[in-house]
Amino acid sequence: NAGVTQTPKFQVLKTGQSMTLQCAQDMNHNSMYWYRQDPGMGLRLIYYSASEGTTDKGEVPNGYNVSRLNKREFSLRLESAAPSQTSVYFCASSATGTYSGNTIYFGEGSWLTVV
Amino acid sequence: AQSVTQLGSHVSVSEGALVLLRCNYSSSVPPYLFWYVQYPNQGLQLLLKYTSAATLVKGINGFEAEFKKSETSFHLTKPSAHMSDAAEYFCAVSEEKDSSYKLIFGSGTRLLVRP
């Protein structure tokens, strides 16, 4: 009963380093999302993929890139990490992008610190 | 664009007291609304959702929320707080664009339960 799995759970980076957050879901969902969570700001959407082969920018895409590798996997890449990217990152998925009432399921989160 | 406002970043109640967490939304179309709960160092879990079927929605762990269109509100309530309810609660509205949708979150309310 894995649901949405993210790796790594914790990571410390130096400013300027790059890294990729991996996400996979086993629910056969079409849509996948990356959010970041910062204190007092709730969750903000970075990028999303409505279906395999498509990606779109969310509210805070600067400094990030994504790849929808296949239906199951959606990765988030930080090309040159900055301290402002210190945050908790959540991957999520939902059944389809065409019905707004579908539940979005979240992973456990990845804690990223940039020093 | 849709938006969500959660009044009160922290709410403190005594065990056994009524829990009331406030959420107001802004939407140009009939909204789909969600409440998620986040326990410390965990991902988000769906509590309940409104998808226009009924204005009073019952969720898990004894929580319920009432959709009031005239007040643009979707407040979360529980008659009697339990220590295990201590967590952060997020209200969210679904936003659809170009046949895909995503969740727009409020800034969250941290519920503290006093013994």
Side-chain angles (χ1 to χ4, degrees):
Chain A
N1 194 21
V4 179
T5 304
Q6 302 178 224
T7 57
K9 193 170 179 67
F10 301 97
Q11 183 73 48
V12 178
L13 284 178
K14 293 183 178 179
T15 297
Q17 285 185 320
S18 63
M19 78 158 297
T20 299
L21 297 175
Q22 306 286 354
C23 175
Q25 52 90 8
D26 62 2
M27 296 175 282
N28 200 34
H29 284 169
N30 289 316
S31 299
M32 297 186 72
Y33 312 81
W34 277 104
Y35 285 87
R36 61 176 287 174
Q37 182 181 22
D38 302 290
M41 303 189 74
L43 280 81
R44 293 179 294 169
L45 184 65
I46 304 171
Y47 271 93
Y48 66 103
S49 171
S51 61
E52 187 178 356
T54 68
T55 60
D56 283 289
K57 295 179 180 179
E59 184 183 355
V60 288
N62 291 344
Y64 305 95
N65 285 303
V66 291
S67 295
R68 184 73 183 266
L69 304 172
N70 48 55
K71 189 172 185 178
R72 289 186 63 248
E73 298 173 287
F74 189 41
S75 63
L76 178 71
R77 183 163 178 83
L78 287 69
E79 291 291 351
S80 179
S84 60
Q85 294 178 304
T86 293
S87 187
V88 184
Y89 292 85
F90 288 97
C91 180
S93 70
S94 66
T96 176
T98 58
Y99 171 49
S100 297
N102 277 319
T103 298
I104 293 183
Y105 296 87
F106 286 82
E108 292 286 299
S110 296
W111 275 253
L112 177 64
T113 301
V114 183
V115 298
Chain B
Q2 281 87 334
S3 65
V4 170
T5 301
Q6 291 185 243
L7 296 176
S9 58
H10 291 80
V11 170
S12 180
V13 300
S14 297
E15 190 173 20
L18 171 72
V19 175
L20 171 61
L21 305 182
R22 299 179 185 274
C23 172
N24 288 88
Y25 69 90
S26 171
S27 175
S28 58
V29 298
Y32 292 100
L33 295 160
F34 302 76
W35 274 101
Y36 280 83
V37 60
Q38 184 182 32
Y39 298 103
N41 299 319
Q42 294 187 25
L44 278 73
Q45 178 184 2
L46 181 70
L47 269 179
L48 49 81
K49 64 180 179 181
Y50 167 74
T51 58
S52 76
T55 56
L56 183 62
V57 182
K58 294 186 182 299
I60 62 172
N61 301 337
F63 284 93
E64 62 182 36
E66 185 173 9
F67 173 70
K68 292 187 176 180
K69 185 178 179 180
S70 61
E71 299 178 8
T72 60
S73 69
F74 190 56
H75 301 331
L76 182 70
T77 61
K78 182 174 181 177
S80 177
H82 192 273
M83 296 297 291
S84 61
D85 294 326
E88 190 155 21
Y89 293 79
F90 292 94
C91 183
V93 63
S94 180
E95 179 177 271
E96 184 174 350
K97 179 182 177 183
D98 299 331
S99 300
S100 67
Y101 82 99
K102 49 193 179 291
L103 287 180
I104 307 300
F105 283 89
S107 56
T109 298
R110 186 169 298 278
L111 177 65
L112 308 171
V113 183
R114 305 186 303 271

